[in-house]
Amino acid sequence: MFVPITETPYTIEDMDKLRLADDYELDRGVLVPVSPGKPRHGSIGVRVGARILTFVEAYGLGETYGLDTGFVLGRNPDTLRGPDVAFMSHARLAGHPDEDTWFEGGPELAVEVLSRGDRPGQVKRKVIQYLQAGSRLVWVFDPRRKRVHIYRQNGTVQVLGGAATLDGEDVLPGFQLPLSDAFR
């Protein structure tokens, strides 16, 4: 895909106008290529997303998003990120009535599944951006190590592995996901 070279930062409006959002995220005005995930990445994302979706629908909590749905995490310069899975409550959705625009702010829960090419610094930057934009909980699944890093709005971080069970905490109260189900 041809992308015009510019010295000024790209904006959210550029992402729309140039139809870049399928191939790029935006990090403080800089285009970041997004590559398709490998099979393990996709299967973990679908399993986790399906479990969240089923839970959210069963209890009428809001909406679950996948397929790198865009969230505007910052402006001037603009940041647009697409988590592998996201959850938004009905209360948060009430402030966003237009289905044809990206969400302003972070999802209440953002889920990222690491790919082999992800660099720790880049992932940490994304996590910080989600939290600073209002995400209350960020889960980062590490398929190689079969672990999940849990980042919370209050700044605490927890790592789970082995036979542990992931908890939805106050974002998805009652939600439980044994890691063995995610990392089959």
Side-chain angles (χ1 to χ4, degrees):
M1 164 181 284
F2 171 75
V3 179
I5 297 173
T6 177
E7 291 190 23
T8 59
Y10 282 92
T11 65
I12 298 299
E13 293 71 28
D14 293 332
M15 298 294 281
D16 267 335
K17 183 173 62 179
L18 300 172
R19 297 183 183 171
L20 298 173
D22 289 340
D23 300 306
Y24 296 92
E25 289 183 331
L26 195 56
D27 183 3
R28 298 185 48 78
V30 176
L31 292 175
V32 178
V34 179
S35 300
K38 300 270 173 47
R40 183 142 177 81
H41 177 275
S43 66
I44 291 170
V46 164
R47 271 198 293 281
V48 172
R51 292 291 291 272
I52 293 170
L53 174 66
T54 300
F55 183 85
V56 166
E57 287 186 345
Y59 293 96
L61 301 176
E63 292 290 338
T64 306
Y65 297 93
L67 302 172
D68 302 316
T69 300
F71 290 84
V72 178
L73 304 182
R75 291 284 191 167
N76 299 318
D78 294 355
T79 297
L80 177 71
R81 297 291 193 179
D84 293 310
V85 180
F87 163 72
M88 296 281 282
S89 69
H90 287 301
R92 289 279 296 278
L93 290 170
H96 186 83
D98 187 352
E99 295 268 331
D100 289 329
T101 62
W102 284 301
F103 290 107
E104 292 280 341
E108 285 159 278
L109 168 65
V111 179
E112 291 284 350
V113 181
L114 295 180
S115 297
R116 283 197 179 265
D118 287 333
R119 294 188 190 114
Q122 291 171 328
V123 174
K124 180 132 178 137
R125 182 177 176 93
K126 258 190 193 183
V127 168
I128 290 168
Q129 289 170 339
Y130 286 127
L131 294 171
Q132 287 178 340
S135 293
R136 295 169 45 206
L137 196 57
V138 180
W139 294 339
V140 178
F141 283 78
D142 183 342
R144 286 188 353 195
R145 293 181 180 86
K146 296 187 176 184
R147 296 190 305 205
V148 177
H149 288 76
I150 303 162
Y151 299 87
R152 297 178 184 91
Q153 184 73 60
N154 66 11
T156 62
V157 180
Q158 181 180 8
V159 180
L160 297 179
T165 297
L166 188 57
D167 185 290
E169 302 181 20
D170 63 341
V171 176
L172 291 174
F175 177 83
Q176 300 279 304
L177 174 63
L179 293 187
S180 58
D181 288 355
F183 293 120
R184 280 194 237 173

